[in-house]
Amino acid sequence: MSDTGDVEVRIASLHVHPVKSCAGIAVDEALVIETGFEFDRAWMLVDERGVFVSQRDLPRMALIQPTLKHVDMVLRAPGMLALHLAVDRVEAPTRVRVWDDEVAAYDMGDLAAQWFSDFLGRKLRLVRFDPEQRRLADRRWTGPLEAEAAFADAFPLLVASSAGLAELNRRLAAAGHAPVTMQRFRPNLVLDGLDANGEDHLDEIVFGAPEGPVRLKLVKPCARCPIPDVDPATGERGHAVGDALAAYRADARLDGAITFGMNAVIVEGVEATLHTGMVGQATFAFA
């Protein structure tokens, strides 16, 4: 820590989740756009009413693995032929619902719909977020900032720490359970240089990207649903992670909800690129 109350952090890993609630991709660099990282939660699965579905209902979604190529996204799942989707192509405009927000989107066509429906055993459609749509994060947490999100639950980015995962795994081991990976928590940035769950106490992080500074403000603890208890390798649900977190991660800021990681918004740095290994300066929040 410096004399100014700052702490130096390092980007341990970067993650993009192209299809909401399907597997994520660890990337070496990520382009910052208005809604977070480019391609993060840009696609989403919806039911026949146009309402989003997730691992909360369909844990086998964890087994669907996307890969981003130069011109297409390739989706693979056990027992399925690969599905190729052009990243610059959409089909019919539609309206869909993600939590309480009804937003403009584009349907991705019958072939994609059939592929996901066959694998997940339920009639589903794949949609892509309309970039002309402005879906704003909750101003109760962002204050004067108008932070945009695509199909993420509520905020553009999620920040977690390597030390936070290490502490969870220490507790899991003490209870006789196997360690888990950060995949279960679906963050965008994982930071080194913090104490366990030290991201809870940060206000802003500034990274010096080649294009200019990237300034992120951490605004709200991330309340946890059952998804961290879904094993990303098997798509099966357990309870060990939730039980372990319940013992020490109740957050008074959210009326005792169990939290892990911090939601963040972009103050500055759209069109800049973050890289793994990049060092930044973080400031502490003081209540």
Side-chain angles (χ1 to χ4, degrees):
M1 189 188 306
S2 75
D3 294 337
T4 62
D6 295 348
V7 60
E8 188 173 273
V9 296
R10 176 183 166 276
I11 299 177
S13 59
L14 296 165
H15 305 265
V16 174
H17 304 80
V19 183
K20 181 179 178 67
S21 223
C22 294
I25 305 168
V27 294
D28 293 329
E29 61 180 48
L31 178 67
V32 179
I33 63 172
E34 287 84 357
T35 56
F37 286 166
E38 185 179 33
F39 300 124
D40 189 62
R41 278 85 171 187
W43 291 267
M44 182 174 75
L45 288 170
V46 298
D47 64 15
E48 292 177 276
R49 298 171 299 143
V51 177
F52 86 103
V53 297
S54 74
Q55 288 183 37
R56 297 168 185 83
D57 313 301
L58 298 169
R60 273 168 57 84
M61 289 178 70
L63 301 179
I64 299 172
Q65 181 66 63
T67 305
L68 288 171
K69 305 289 189 183
H70 291 299
V71 296
D72 63 0
M73 176 172 64
V74 183
L75 293 138
R76 294 180 173 85
M80 301 289 290
L81 294 174
L83 174 66
H84 292 252
L85 295 174
V87 297
D88 62 350
R89 198 169 304 151
V90 294
E91 295 201 15
T94 186
R95 303 284 297 177
V96 297
R97 181 166 289 278
V98 51
W99 295 111
D100 293 330
D101 297 325
E102 183 182 302
V103 298
Y106 289 97
D107 189 276
M108 293 301 295
D110 292 342
L111 180 63
Q114 193 63 54
W115 191 91
F116 283 98
S117 300
D118 287 349
F119 180 69
L120 294 168
R122 198 166 143 190
K123 195 168 182 181
L124 301 167
R125 306 288 301 184
L126 181 69
V127 298
R128 183 162 184 178
F129 191 78
D130 183 344
E132 298 300 314
Q133 171 77 53
R134 292 188 83 227
R135 179 175 172 243
L136 297 181
D138 191 336
R139 294 290 286 271
R140 289 177 298 175
W141 295 95
T142 67
L145 293 171
E146 287 195 344
E148 296 182 49
F151 288 138
D153 278 350
F155 294 90
L157 295 168
L158 179 64
V159 178
S161 62
S162 303
L165 181 67
E167 173 62 17
L168 171 61
N169 280 329
R170 186 188 69 77
R171 291 169 177 265
L172 286 171
H177 299 294
V180 297
T181 66
M182 194 62 89
Q183 285 174 276
R184 296 190 181 227
F185 295 97
R186 309 178 65 75
N188 298 112
L189 294 94
V190 180
L191 302 178
D192 284 340
L194 297 170
D195 295 335
N197 306 108
E199 65 273 18
D200 289 354
H201 310 294
L202 298 182
D203 178 28
E204 291 190 352
I205 310 171
V206 180
F207 296 101
E211 303 87 347
V214 175
R215 186 152 60 109
L216 308 178
K217 186 174 180 66
L218 283 64
V219 295
K220 181 179 182 289
C222 184
R224 289 298 171 173
C225 65
I227 287 180
D229 267 312
V230 176
D231 185 338
T234 64
E236 295 176 356
R237 191 178 280 133
H239 58 81
V241 172
D243 291 349
L245 290 174
Y248 74 109
R249 291 298 302 161
D251 197 310
R253 292 173 289 183
L254 296 183
D255 298 323
I258 305 306
T259 68
F260 188 97
M262 286 288 291
N263 292 295
V265 300
I266 302 150
V267 180
E268 182 181 7
V270 169
E271 298 301 326
T273 302
L274 296 179
H275 303 263
T276 56
M278 187 176 278
V279 172
Q281 293 294 319
T283 53
F284 289 100
F286 297 99

